[in-house]
Amino acid sequence: MILELDCGNSFIKWRVIDASQAATLAGGVVGSDEELIAALRGTAGLALRFCRLVSVRSDEETRSLTSRLQDAFGVACSCATPAQEMAGVRNGYSEYQRLGLDRWLAVLGAYHIAHKACLVLDLGTAVTSDLVSGDGEHLGGFICPGMPLMRNQLRTHTRRIRYDDEAAEKALLDMAPGRSTVEAVERGCLLMLKGFVQIQIELAAEHLGEDFEVFLTGGDALLVRDVLPRARVLPDLVFAGLAIACPLQ
């Protein structure tokens, strides 16, 4: 069994797959190292022999997690690292080490699946967009706040905006003009998100031509699915790239 981890700024996404990668045996999303250890210990029949991960956290935080996994399950961890070129894809950043590893792996995974030009949109705490040409040249991309950051900024800096996550979820069941603060904020943020995504399609056509694949990933991917009917929604796209960056030994 192989443990795969995507350690983001807010959450850790995890899954356990069989050695052939034919099936996902268990998985989930947790908010801390402690929750991850507990979730793994609660997985029936767990017998890990390999772990690979991508982390956008500090080196110290990542080392702490890998050490805890070693102690708890006796498994060594292979961590994805930056690269100028890998699997036919060339990193487009002038300082390639500064491209977020989660973005890099999503690009690797998308190009490996598409074998053609592609636009990769990852909608999480932040929203990232990356363009890859047909010959594997990463052309760069864009970053903007995602729904969590937008709503939290409004909650933090506007005294009269106060509501919980349940109210936020209900507000998005309709997109009529808001008749309450929560409806106005949530629907307004979603419209901003959809506008950003629509512009990415125009930019991709400008830089890639008309023949390109669109990939959607991240926790809020389904929020923009209606404006991108041609897109492929792949929640585990980063894991597809992780398998390329950290192959089994």
Side-chain angles (χ1 to χ4, degrees):
M1 295 180 183
I2 304 164
L3 173 63
E4 296 184 326
L5 303 173
D6 179 3
C7 304
N9 292 304
S10 304
F11 301 100
I12 300 173
K13 184 176 181 181
W14 67 277
R15 72 176 186 179
V16 176
I17 61 175
D18 64 17
S20 66
Q21 300 188 46
T24 298
L25 306 177
V29 179
V30 294
S32 66
D33 295 359
E34 291 76 15
E35 290 180 21
L36 174 63
I37 299 295
L40 290 171
R41 283 179 171 154
T43 301
L46 188 70
L48 299 178
R49 68 178 187 86
F50 190 79
C51 171
R52 54 190 171 206
L53 65 87
V54 54
S55 176
V56 297
R57 300 179 172 189
S58 69
D59 291 342
E60 182 180 353
E61 290 174 310
T62 302
R63 281 193 298 269
S64 175
L65 174 58
T66 57
S67 176
R68 294 188 66 174
L69 290 170
Q70 173 75 52
D71 293 342
F73 304 103
V75 62
C77 298
S78 176
C79 300
T81 57
Q84 273 190 308
E85 184 172 352
M86 181 175 288
V89 181
R90 294 176 297 284
N91 192 316
Y93 262 30
S94 54
E95 296 179 70
Y96 75 92
Q97 304 94 329
R98 294 188 176 274
L99 176 63
L101 276 172
D102 50 349
R103 288 175 63 192
W104 173 238
L105 295 186
V107 163
L108 285 180
Y111 189 75
H112 176 75
I113 293 168
H115 299 293
K116 63 189 290 188
C118 49
L119 168 66
V120 184
L121 296 163
D122 189 341
L123 292 90
T125 303
V127 176
T128 61
S129 168
D130 286 282
L131 293 84
V132 188
S133 69
D135 64 355
E137 186 72 31
H138 173 234
L139 304 181
F142 303 90
I143 304 173
C144 76
M147 288 289 286
L149 281 178
M150 285 192 282
R151 75 164 61 94
N152 288 341
Q153 283 297 301
L154 285 170
R155 286 176 178 174
T156 301
H157 296 288
T158 308
R159 291 183 180 181
R160 293 184 179 274
I161 295 181
R162 296 289 184 270
Y163 57 85
D164 59 25
D165 292 340
E166 183 180 356
E169 186 176 341
K170 289 181 179 178
L172 293 178
L173 296 176
D174 192 318
M175 285 302 291
R179 290 180 175 270
S180 67
T181 299
V182 61
E183 290 177 354
V185 169
E186 289 298 313
R187 295 171 190 178
C189 289
L190 181 54
L191 287 174
M192 291 186 68
L193 191 63
K194 289 185 175 183
F196 174 84
V197 167
Q198 287 176 318
I199 289 174
Q200 298 310 304
I201 296 296
E202 299 172 12
L203 288 169
E206 178 183 341
H207 292 281
L208 301 175
E210 295 299 327
D211 185 22
F212 61 91
E213 194 89 44
V214 182
F215 291 87
L216 278 177
T217 191
D220 285 335
L222 294 180
L223 290 179
V224 300
R225 185 68 177 87
D226 61 324
V227 298
L228 294 176
R230 61 182 277 193
R232 300 176 66 169
V233 181
L234 296 179
D236 292 333
L237 185 58
V238 168
F239 286 145
L242 182 60
I244 297 170
C246 300
L248 291 175
Q249 302 301 316

